Amino acid sequence: MMTVLVLGGAGYIGSHAVDRLIQKGYDVAVVDNLVTGHRAAVNDKARFYEGDVRDQKFLNGVFDKEDIEGVMHFAAFSIVPESMEKPLKYFDNNTTGMVSLLEVMNKHNVKRIIFSSTAATYGEPKQIPIKETDPQIPTNPYGESKLMMEKIMRWADEAYGIKFIALRYFNVAGAKEDGSIGEDHHPETHLIPIILQVAAGERKELSIFGGDYPTKDGTNVRDYVQVVDLVDAHILALEYLKAGHDSDAFNLGSSTGFSNKEMLEAARKVTGKEIPAKMAPRRAGDPSTLIAASDKARKVLNWQPQFDNVEDIIRTAWNWKQKNPAGYDDQNEAK
Ligand code: NAD
Ligand code: UDP
């Protein structure tokens, strides 16, 4: 049986991908340097290799041992404000990491990669909803590093026939429904986990960044996709390449927008907690509205997301939070 190699499989999204792949009967190996990930998040049935994607000697060793049919590449840094202050950290880990990975894949004749791209590759959208063919003009180094990774894959396809699917995620949220794995970032920067920290009494209040945007209630509008639905699209994408289709890019979102105030109200309803909040200045680099056109993934990959309601998404995150108040409670480097 051939193996799916998941890079960044100890992270939030990667750990859900590993879990889902195993559930669906795939054989899975994981590479992660645990810089933001958690060893305890990785399903026991996956073989785990601790190391850095940029370390070609290490990576070649993994490819020597494993019989790999395809790669899912989640390993990256992804905090936008940090990327504004430390752009080179992002180009080094994300972009250089991709060069290293493709070199090793080419050497071992592995020809399929499913890649975590992002809405941040589009920058400030000219039209909503955002289509895959819209211009990609990132407004921060994180988005630029990911766009460069998409472009590098394109040329590696031309030269070596390494086929790729770039999946451009919008706002990923929630957790596996049984609450056994979930989101545990240090520092936490994402809206839903921060709201739930306030609900749990770990934070005094939510700061809503910006109330003067040209949206329905003045706060930013985002498109939320449940993490298990999101990883299912990766498995469909891998099967799509295995069926002989060509490289391509797909948005992954719900095609519906929710404002930050609406998200707060939804979380109040789900948790039954008051969740104190105050208005705060805009956060640098935030586009006003991001909503995906995601009919292409539905049509071409036959993606059928199960969650179509943000309250249900928040409920899965709240369940994880209540079952694991201290997250994975490990001491990873970032803690
Ligand atoms: P995460 O930080 O939880 O996971 C990333 C994982 O990669 C971690 O386990 C980390 O230890 C590992 N890693 C990082 N650099 C590495 C390296 N050089 N070598 C080996 N391992 C390395 O992040 P996440 O939220 O799960 O995001 C996963 C991917 O999805 C990222 O590439 C991110 O850019 C992309 N993405 C996330 C979102 C979101 O809403 N969370 C949205 C769009 C795109
Ligand atoms: N946000 C907020 N307060 C917070 C964290 C986030 O108001 O403490 C807002 C943020 O400005 C954005 C939305 O919530 O408008 C989603 O932010 P997140 O960082 O979760 O995802 P992004 O859209 O940046 O990928």
Side-chain angles (χ1 to χ4, degrees), residues 136-153:
Q136 289 177 289
I137 309 167
T139 51
N140 55 63
Y142 164 61
E144 190 79 68
S145 74
K146 289 265 158 170
L147 179 57
M148 289 164 85
M149 293 164 89
E150 285 197 11
K151 290 183 174 176
I152 290 167
M153 287 191 300

Side-chain angles (χ1 to χ4, degrees), residues 11-13 32-33 35-37 52-53 74 76 93 142 146 169 185:
Y12 166 46
I13 301 170
D32 200 299
N33 64 3
V35 67
T36 59
D52 196 300
V53 174
F74 299 93
N93 196 44
Y142 164 61
K146 289 265 158 170
Y169 314 162
H185 287 132

Side-chain angles (χ1 to χ4, degrees), residues 7-15 31-38 51-55 58 73-79 92-94 97 115-120 142 146 149 167-173 183-185 190 230 234 332:
L7 303 146
Y12 166 46
I13 301 170
S15 62
V31 161
D32 200 299
N33 64 3
L34 300 178
V35 67
T36 59
H38 308 272
D52 196 300
V53 174
R54 292 163 297 177
D55 179 349
F58 157 75
H73 184 27
F74 299 93
F77 291 139
S78 58
I79 301 175
D92 178 24
N93 196 44
N94 299 1
F115 170 59
S116 295
S117 190
T118 164
Y142 164 61
K146 289 265 158 170
M149 293 164 89
L167 297 173
R168 299 182 189 141
Y169 314 162
F170 282 62
N171 288 61
V172 188
E183 186 167 10
D184 184 16
H185 287 132
H190 290 125
L230 181 97
H234 293 65
N332 77 1

Side-chain angles (χ1 to χ4, degrees), residues 24-98:
K24 289 184 182 267
Y26 291 83
D27 183 66
V28 181
V30 171
V31 161
D32 200 299
N33 64 3
L34 300 178
V35 67
T36 59
H38 308 272
R39 181 66 184 87
V42 182
N43 188 304
D44 289 339
K45 295 203 176 78
R47 291 177 297 288
F48 183 77
Y49 298 91
E50 184 171 344
D52 196 300
V53 174
R54 292 163 297 177
D55 179 349
Q56 286 204 11
K57 192 162 169 241
F58 157 75
L59 205 55
N60 272 314
V62 175
F63 276 71
D64 283 340
K65 277 198 210 93
E66 301 285 350
D67 188 13
I68 299 167
E69 63 171 333
V71 163
M72 292 189 184
H73 184 27
F74 299 93
F77 291 139
S78 58
I79 301 175
V80 169
E82 184 190 52
S83 81
M84 299 289 283
E85 283 163 27
K86 299 177 182 165
L88 302 182
K89 177 175 172 181
Y90 279 69
F91 295 121
D92 178 24
N93 196 44
N94 299 1
T95 315
T96 309
M98 178 62 93

Side-chain angles (χ1 to χ4, degrees), residues 29 38 40 51 101 110 118 125 129 131 146 168 184 211 234-235 244 253 257 266-267 286 304 311-312:
H38 308 272
L101 172 60
V110 175
T118 164
K131 291 203 203 62
K146 289 265 158 170
R168 299 182 189 141
D184 184 16
H234 293 65
I235 300 174
D286 271 340
Q304 294 170 333
E311 282 176 30
D312 291 340

